Amino acid sequence: MITGKNYIGNQLSSNGDLTYRTFNPKLNIENEHIFYEASSEEIETAVQSATAAFEIYRTISGQKKADFLNTIAEEILALDTELIETYTSETGLPEGRALGERGRTVGQLRTFANLVAEGSWVEAAIDTADPGRTPMPKPDLRKMLIPLGPVVVFGASNFPLAYSTAGGDTAAALAAGCPVIVKSHPMHAGTGELIASAIIAAAKKTGMPDGVFSNLNSSGIEVGTQLVQHPSVKAVGFTGSIRGGRALLDLAAKRPEPIPVFAEMGSINPVVILPKAAQTKGEDLAKTYAQSITLGAGQFCTNPGLILGIKSEALDDFIQTLSNEIIAIEPSCMLHPNIVGNYEKNKTNALQQKGLIKAAEYANELTTNHARQTVTTVEGKAFLENPILHQEVFGPFSMIVQCKDADELVSIVYGLDGQLTGTVLADNEELTTYKDVLDALQNRVGRIIFNGVPTGVEVCPAMLHGGPYPASTDSRFTAVGIHSIKRWVRPFSYQNWPNDVLPDELKNENPLDISRLLNGKQTHNSISYGANVL
Ligand code: NAP
């Protein structure tokens, strides 16, 4: 049941004066529930509870954390229709999308549960002592990953489940052993509260310390700002715009104790269409791309916002087919009037730039809060010279850059900001002929796709969802998949510690039977003193 209150650990609380409601973009009316923005005191209490909970939670076994994560998944499923109805009423997204995103969210929680139950993720490394080494004896050193402390998570508007309250950041941080305080997204506060209630129910059922999770409502930037500046907060996870992520990164860097901000931000996901591909399968590709650009009203971080090709008749045909196809698609509802407003503003701003031409725009009458999908074109030189054309227009928008030759294409790719994805539409031979283009692209992106579309993010260990700045603030990490847990931990070494007080992961007998790097060799073996050291 939605109360509109904050979860300060296990307690519901509504001491603040500021209230707000969410919005149903399909019906173009406010939703019924009133939400209470967290007050300064409530924020302070949430951080203090998380700090106290950390002292217990960081020592909890992998198996118990797994039980907690699996129970969160069950509690989310138990929310059933209330969750799905709230989700659709706060986003305008269809039920099918809500179910799909719920499946992904539950799947992520269970994957992290399996990871921590198995235990080898801590990357235990053991170098046993050699007292006889000359000229200096070698000490016994044992290293593993340990949690950072309380983490603040900001979710994005366009993924109310999978990148939000119990999304990838929260699942990974809880798996790592970090308490989480979520700064709830104002556009889906009801969905956020329901998910928070599932997390709290799971925490109580599995005996987790009070404060391991809090959910704070906010309608503006103040709650998030106070959280990021709080000295007891040790890391931040953010998914959203470049402007928002950058503001939080700067804020965290200015603290007396700077902390990491793992911000996953906007991207225009360049697609390179090479000449033979344009010639042999341009029509099919144009049809596929019309669907990809308009999928979810273009509100995906992997939306193909930029298509780069070399001038030719085949490229002209591709543009023509894409234009015809895109205007035949029925527009979808966007998440919120503000998102529609920003889409129109950013599109108008782009279209005011020298050289950008509108190739096609949906022209029929529109329902409120729906967006007109748009395709534009520009010459390579104009694109190269104008950084405004490189900015994300969040929505069903794409720009086709017509390069005069392969050299111009390479310089454009080199000049791009960091991106989540890059796509190459080519025939196999062109992968060799245009090696320079591909090398340039690899340098700018986190994931490269061959003859496909960038939309659709598979959740698996080999997925990299991130990329050079500004796609993310730290390109060494992924925001999706099990390796995203590494954002919330630090390596820690014990030197010459007695075996019985070491964590189980590092004990001689390897009681958890995890894989460890033992004297340079990856193994499940235990260490037996008295006989040979393995
Ligand atoms: P947003 O406007 O940046 O908001 C994200 C969250 O950050 C909100 O809770 C917002 O709070 C908060 N925030 C924004 N600016 C802030 C500031 N200066 N100080 C403190 N808090 C701040 O983004 P959005 O509209 O929700 O999401 C759309 C964007 O997310 C798109 O650019 C999309 O490409 C990107 N995205 C990226 C990924 C990825 O994995 N890379 C995934 C999904 C979406 P308030 O709303 O209360 O201000």
Side-chain angles (χ1 to χ4, degrees):
M1 194 188 76
I2 297 172
T3 65
K5 298 181 182 183
N6 304 279
Y7 273 103
I8 312 293
N10 294 350
Q11 282 69 49
L12 278 167
S13 174
S14 55
N15 297 342
D17 300 326
L18 262 172
T19 59
Y20 63 99
R21 290 172 195 250
T22 59
F23 194 83
N24 186 325
K26 270 217 160 126
L27 304 179
N28 203 33
I29 52 168
E30 283 192 323
N31 289 310
E32 93 183 79
H33 296 290
I34 293 172
F35 294 91
Y36 296 84
E37 177 154 322
S39 67
S40 220
E41 293 71 34
E42 286 169 322
I43 297 169
E44 182 60 35
T45 312
V47 180
Q48 279 176 15
S49 304
T51 309
F54 179 57
E55 290 313 312
I56 304 164
Y57 191 60
R58 69 190 178 89
T59 64
I60 276 175
S61 72
Q63 190 52 58
K64 282 196 172 150
K65 282 189 290 181
D67 291 345
F68 177 33
L69 294 169
N70 280 325
T71 311
I72 297 174
E74 280 162 28
E75 293 290 331
I76 289 175
L77 291 175
L79 292 167
D80 204 15
T81 47
E82 190 184 8
L83 177 66
I84 303 303
E85 280 165 13
T86 306
Y87 175 109
T88 52
S89 75
E90 291 184 331
T91 61
L93 295 169
E95 187 184 319
R97 162 71 193 271
L99 292 170
E101 206 186 319
R102 185 186 65 176
R104 174 168 162 181
T105 307
V106 164
Q108 288 175 166
L109 287 159
R110 289 179 173 153
T111 306
F112 278 110
N114 291 341
L115 183 79
V116 294
E118 193 281 330
S120 303
W121 72 275
V122 298
E123 295 180 0
I126 301 175
D127 289 290
T128 49
D130 180 1
R133 190 181 70 175
T134 55
M136 296 274 283
K138 182 177 171 230
D140 180 285
L141 275 160
R142 304 185 181 211
K143 185 173 77 173
M144 65 180 277
L145 301 174
I146 62 167
L148 286 177
V151 166
V152 169
V153 170
F154 294 71
S157 58
N158 59 339
F159 275 94
L161 298 175
Y163 284 97
S164 211
T165 321
D169 286 353
T170 298
L174 290 177
C178 299
V180 170
I181 302 165
V182 166
K183 199 294 279 184
S184 162
H185 200 291
M187 291 183 196
H188 52 252
T191 307
E193 189 193 325
L194 288 174
I195 295 287
S197 73
I199 300 175
I200 296 295
K204 286 180 183 168
K205 273 189 182 170
T206 55
M208 295 298 134
D210 190 0
V212 72
F213 180 81
S214 289
N215 183 57
L216 304 181
N217 294 324
S218 86
S219 58
I221 66 168
E222 293 74 16
V223 172
T225 305
Q226 189 179 331
L227 282 169
V228 173
Q229 289 177 314
H230 198 292
S232 298
V233 167
K234 296 302 174 199
V236 177
F238 173 91
T239 307
S241 62
I242 295 176
R243 206 167 55 130
R246 180 66 206 221
L248 297 178
L249 179 71
D250 290 344
L251 208 57
K254 281 196 200 121
R255 292 169 35 130
E257 178 199 346
I259 51 169
V261 174
F262 296 101
E264 302 302 322
M265 302 180 282
S267 198
I268 52 173
N269 304 296
V271 177
V272 176
I273 176 162
L274 291 174
K276 275 198 183 154
Q279 207 172 31
T280 55
K281 48 190 171 190
E283 191 174 341
D284 286 348
L285 288 170
K287 287 179 182 165
T288 307
Y289 268 82
Q291 295 297 333
S292 178
I293 293 163
T294 52
L295 189 71
Q299 302 166 117
F300 283 112
C301 48
T302 49
N303 189 55
L306 183 70
I307 301 174
L308 307 166
I310 299 171
K311 277 185 177 181
S312 69
E313 218 172 280
L315 186 64
D316 290 344
D317 292 345
F318 172 84
I319 296 168
Q320 191 55 55
T321 313
L322 179 59
S323 301
N324 296 344
E325 290 288 325
I326 209 155
I327 55 173
I329 294 171
E330 272 308 308
S332 335
C333 188
M334 293 194 89
L335 294 159
H336 193 274
N338 291 351
I339 301 259
V340 185
N342 282 337
Y343 171 65
E344 293 300 339
K345 191 179 82 192
N346 294 334
K347 188 168 77 170
T348 307
N349 184 33
L351 282 163
Q352 281 167 353
Q353 304 306 308
K354 199 173 140 207
L356 192 72
I357 298 163
K358 201 188 284 177
E361 184 179 55
Y362 183 82
N364 296 344
E365 207 180 315
L366 266 191
T367 316
T368 319
N369 299 324
H370 286 50
R372 288 184 194 285
Q373 53 260 27
T374 306
V375 171
T376 59
T377 66
V378 66
E379 301 266 324
K381 186 168 180 294
F383 181 81
L384 260 176
E385 286 169 356
N386 188 349
I388 293 173
L389 294 176
H390 300 215
Q391 290 170 6
E392 180 188 37
V393 177
F394 188 61
F397 175 91
S398 199
M399 184 186 301
I400 302 161
V401 181
Q402 302 186 67
C403 305
K404 68 173 191 301
D405 53 27
D407 287 346
E408 190 172 70
L409 176 58
V410 173
S411 7
I412 286 179
V413 176
Y414 263 116
L416 290 174
D417 288 335
Q419 306 288 339
L420 290 171
T421 72
T423 303
V424 179
L425 307 175
D427 80 358
N428 286 3
E429 216 176 88
E430 286 179 308
L431 294 181
T432 316
T433 334
Y434 290 91
K435 194 172 174 305
D436 288 2
V437 179
L438 306 182
D439 289 347
L441 198 57
Q442 183 173 31
N443 203 26
R444 305 311 308 130
V445 308
R447 171 166 64 108
I448 198 157
I449 298 129
F450 179 59
N451 281 344
V453 290
T455 38
V457 175
E458 189 66 35
V459 182
C460 62
M463 172 54 71
L464 189 287
H465 193 66
Y469 183 87
S472 65
T473 45
D474 195 332
S475 61
R476 293 169 300 170
F477 298 91
T478 176
V480 168
I482 50 170
H483 296 126
S484 64
I485 199 171
K486 292 187 186 167
R487 296 171 300 165
W488 315 121
V489 290
R490 64 188 173 96
F492 183 85
S493 276
Y494 294 86
Q495 185 166 332
N496 289 337
W497 272 70
N499 188 54
D500 55 345
V501 287
L502 280 168
D504 283 350
E505 289 86 345
L506 299 176
K507 285 194 164 102
N508 291 339
E509 41 297 14
N510 194 11
L512 303 176
D513 190 27
I514 60 174
S515 175
R516 312 187 291 187
L517 188 67
L518 178 56
N519 293 328
K521 193 174 155 226
Q522 202 67 37
T523 172
H524 281 253
N525 288 349
S526 55
I527 304 163
S528 53
Y529 282 99
N532 285 340
V533 173
L534 295 164

